[in-house]
Amino acid sequence: MDGDHVLGFAGLLAAPFADVCQWLADAQDGSDERYAWRVARYAIERHQAACDEIGRRMVAARQDMKPRGRASDGPDAVKYALGMPLYGYGLRYTHVAALAGLGTLGMSVMLERLASVPGWRRTLGGRLLLALEPGFAELDRRGRRSAFNRGAVAYADRCETFATREAASEDRSWREAPVTRRQRWTMFDTAVALGIALPTCRTCGEAADWLEANGAILKYRQGGK
């Protein structure tokens, strides 16, 4: 999901559970997508107006339940915004992987699990925390592996796009630009993993050369070992 889904996701969590089940089932129908949370994005897009309206009311009503701090202006801002309504339902950072693991079970299994949550809980969001409790460790493991696989695919796509662009252009001006934030973090992670000194690269080109020479991103090149 991206920034266009922030309000809609909040609305999906706060909508009546019976309605959400129907929306999700309809979005899954005819789709080969196996990851349930990606299907949830399709459901939000189909019912954007309704989800956004419920989301606005939900966010306004839960102002006092926001986590302390504020969203950054960086690439994690959307993740922060998507996570804020989950915080209101009692989920924390320690539940992120298990929540992803729940999505790997597929839509029908996820909905069955959510429907089996005991007690009267009117919304999808109100059922999530309890739905994660049975077999939490296995859901966490599945979620971490799923996140790794998605990251590896995205990384491979970025590498292919970069290589294609470089082969088709003689412009190397990017190499003189300052080191990017992503490069700095990747160099830090790589240096820690290898037990070597952090480099003193000043330009994108120097950083790119160092990362290539040291096999970054290591976790993807080593298969998550």
Side-chain angles (χ1 to χ4, degrees), residues 76-149:
D76 290 335
V78 171
K79 293 180 182 179
Y80 182 96
L82 287 167
M84 285 175 64
L86 291 170
Y87 186 95
Y89 289 110
L91 283 87
R92 301 294 182 264
Y93 178 77
T94 52
H95 299 107
V96 170
L99 194 63
L102 184 66
T104 68
L105 300 177
M107 184 57 72
S108 62
V109 176
M110 186 176 86
L111 289 179
E112 288 175 5
R113 191 177 181 114
L114 288 164
S116 69
V117 168
W120 187 83
R121 297 177 186 276
R122 191 181 66 85
T123 65
L124 169 63
R127 293 170 178 263
L128 283 176
L129 188 59
L130 289 177
L132 296 180
E133 290 183 357
F136 180 86
E138 174 60 14
L139 288 176
D140 185 83
R141 185 196 67 78
R142 291 177 65 101
R144 292 179 188 278
R145 174 50 58 177
S146 175
F148 174 85
N149 290 339

Side-chain angles (χ1 to χ4, degrees), residues 44 52 79 182:
I44 291 169
D52 283 358
K79 293 180 182 179
R182 175 177 284 176

Side-chain angles (χ1 to χ4, degrees), residues 119-197:
W120 187 83
R121 297 177 186 276
R122 191 181 66 85
T123 65
L124 169 63
R127 293 170 178 263
L128 283 176
L129 188 59
L130 289 177
L132 296 180
E133 290 183 357
F136 180 86
E138 174 60 14
L139 288 176
D140 185 83
R141 185 196 67 78
R142 291 177 65 101
R144 292 179 188 278
R145 174 50 58 177
S146 175
F148 174 85
N149 290 339
R150 293 195 304 275
V153 170
Y155 174 64
D157 288 345
R158 290 199 304 272
C159 289
E160 182 177 356
T161 298
F162 177 77
T164 300
R165 187 176 64 224
E166 285 296 281
S169 174
E170 296 182 358
D171 182 8
R172 297 294 184 269
S173 60
W174 66 269
R175 292 185 60 85
E176 302 307 317
V179 177
T180 68
R181 184 178 182 183
R182 175 177 284 176
Q183 283 179 316
R184 290 191 186 280
W185 277 112
T186 306
M187 287 190 294
F188 176 81
D189 289 342
T190 303
V192 170
L194 295 177
I196 59 178

Side-chain angles (χ1 to χ4, degrees), residues 3 14 24 36 47 56-57 64 66 83 85 87 96 101 103 138 146 153 163 176 181 211 214 216:
L24 293 174
H47 302 276
R56 288 188 189 93
R57 295 200 304 266
D64 61 326
K66 287 183 181 180
Y87 186 95
V96 170
E138 174 60 14
S146 175
V153 170
E176 302 307 317
R181 184 178 182 183
L211 290 168
N214 287 278

